[in-house]
Amino acid sequence: MKSILVPYDFSEEAENAFQLAQELAAKASCKLKLVHVIEIPTAQHFNTMGEINMEDNFIDRIYMVDLVDKRKEQFKKLEETHAVKPYQFSTNLLFGNPYAGISSEITEVKADLVIMGSKGSSGLEELLIGSNTEKVVRHSSCPVITVKSPLKAEDLKVIVFASDFSEDSKKVMKQLKDFQELLEAEIRLVKINTPNSFEKSKISFEKINGFVKANKLTNVQIDIYNADTEEEGIIEFADEINADLIAMATHGRTGFLHLLSGSIAEDVVNSAKRPVWTMKFKK
């Protein structure tokens, strides 16, 4: 792991993500970057000199100028504070759509890991709006950890990896294995059996054992858990064994197909109290 990116909006959740990122960056001796995106209302734009034009709305113009100055000063202080840390630290202030800004920064810094704060959402709000966190989880080219409460890297000792252990799952296992080794953590491999997706235990154990051998995994346990739905099963199993982190792969579907099929990973990110590590399948 060479580069960690933290989208930072100065919220409590973002601060929790930042604190975890600092510990992981120190542990891995890698780069750590904060990115903050100031969303410009549609009535605003930049002129050719890089100044904000706001169509005669003087109050809004003053507010935006003050906000930009405030964020620049906050980032300057953070850079000064982290100049002596055991990792290379930097910040970037962007303008526009938050998701687009975060996505471009992931590509720009060639991030190996994104750590984001999340409040979670459900029901109608999730369906109609979705969150920037959800979009990053769905589309990011690198693993994403979503954090909702304060968390120390040294406490991440038990990781639940919920999967069907198909060939697609192997595509994300290398990154999770690297993360496991960095933390010196145990991985609990779990297959969730549901009424609509049932598999005999013998078949599941054979498949998971083959997965362990193919990926040369160590410090692992294998589990099969029965539940009404995959989402409920993953969260309930993690609760029962008091896991420190849930890890999953996500298919990254979009549009109408996404609405029809949903995404178990995104549902877990929204519902779980624990931090969740996700990575999109690479086709």
Side-chain angles (χ1 to χ4, degrees), residues 8-10 35-46 52-54 60 63-65 67-68 71 92-102 129-132 135:
Y8 193 74
D9 62 1
F10 297 89
V35 58
H36 177 68
V37 184
I38 294 179
E39 191 165 9
I40 305 296
T42 54
Q44 305 169 16
H45 61 276
F46 290 96
I52 302 173
N53 290 332
M54 305 183 67
D60 284 349
Y63 170 77
M64 287 303 299
V65 169
L67 178 61
V68 170
R71 294 305 189 220
N92 195 16
L93 187 62
L94 300 176
F95 301 89
N97 176 271
Y99 166 68
I102 294 167
I129 304 172
S131 67
N132 291 311
K135 293 175 184 176

Side-chain angles (χ1 to χ4, degrees), residues 186-199:
E186 175 190 43
I187 290 188
R188 298 288 292 267
L189 303 174
V190 61
K191 165 71 168 62
I192 306 298
N193 259 338
T194 67
N196 293 328
S197 181
F198 180 80
E199 186 174 74

Side-chain angles (χ1 to χ4, degrees), residues 137 143-144 159-163 172 176 230-231 234 245-250 263-269 276-281:
V137 165
V144 179
I159 301 172
V160 166
F161 180 57
S163 174
V172 305
L176 182 58
E230 287 91 343
E231 177 195 335
I234 293 166
L245 178 76
I246 296 171
M248 301 182 65
T250 180
S263 169
I264 298 170
E266 289 170 38
D267 290 342
V268 171
V269 166
V276 182
W277 180 103
T278 56
M279 185 174 176
K280 185 178 71 172
F281 289 146

Side-chain angles (χ1 to χ4, degrees), residues 3 7 16 47 68 75 140 142 146 152 158 163 166 175-176 192 207 209 232-233 240 242 248 256 258-259 272:
S3 177
N16 292 334
N47 63 22
V68 170
F75 267 6
S140 175
C142 68
T146 51
K152 291 186 175 296
V158 179
S163 174
S166 63
Q175 282 78 4
L176 182 58
I192 306 298
K207 186 184 295 183
N209 277 315
E232 288 178 1
E240 283 191 14
N242 197 26
M248 301 182 65
F256 187 59
H258 172 72
L259 292 176

